[in-house]
Amino acid sequence: MYQRFGTIKAVSIEAIDCGGKAASWHETVIQLMDGSAEDAADGFMTNRKFLAIYDRVRAKIPVRDEAEVRFESGKAQLAALQDHVTYLEMQPEHLIVYLRQPGVQCKAGESCGVPTGETAVTDRCAPDSGCCGPATASPGGAGGFS
């Protein structure tokens, strides 16, 4: 359970996928931090308090209304994760945000004829086709590419 609010980030992304297609988009990342037992006893942040913080941020940096909102959370000893918003549950004094972890997918897969979620390489998505191909682990160990 994350009780402490960290930061609001207005993120602009410029990317080129492995098929050579350029894309750009904006995201708003709201960072939450693991609170103490005392923080938990104080309860959750109210909508009013969050909106006051959000309005202060918007006055200083360009937070875009059309941007996808993600929530970043983690513990000090673990890597942070950015989750997608699944749905919202509105209550009189609180807004409950349900999150899901994002998956990783080749952005060029559709233009290469690879159905969403398919990971196998096909002739249409061979390394010489200009589309995504598999990464090969380097002889030096896991995580490398050759």
Side-chain angles (χ1 to χ4, degrees), residues 39-84:
D39 292 331
D42 289 341
F44 295 103
M45 181 183 299
T46 64
N47 295 343
R48 183 171 296 142
K49 182 174 180 179
F50 174 78
L51 290 174
I53 294 168
Y54 185 77
D55 287 343
R56 281 197 313 261
V57 170
R58 283 185 60 125
K60 296 183 180 200
I61 62 173
V63 179
R64 294 176 168 80
D65 292 335
E66 74 279 3
E68 177 181 358
V69 175
R70 293 185 186 227
F71 284 83
E72 180 179 84
S73 59
K75 298 185 182 289
Q77 300 81 10
L78 301 173
L81 298 173
Q82 287 188 5
D83 295 327
H84 294 277

Side-chain angles (χ1 to χ4, degrees), residues 44-47 50-51 71 87-98:
F44 295 103
M45 181 183 299
T46 64
N47 295 343
F50 174 78
L51 290 174
F71 284 83
Y87 66 96
L88 306 172
E89 181 182 325
M90 297 185 75
Q91 297 184 354
E93 286 295 316
H94 292 91
L95 173 66
I96 299 174
V97 181
Y98 292 87

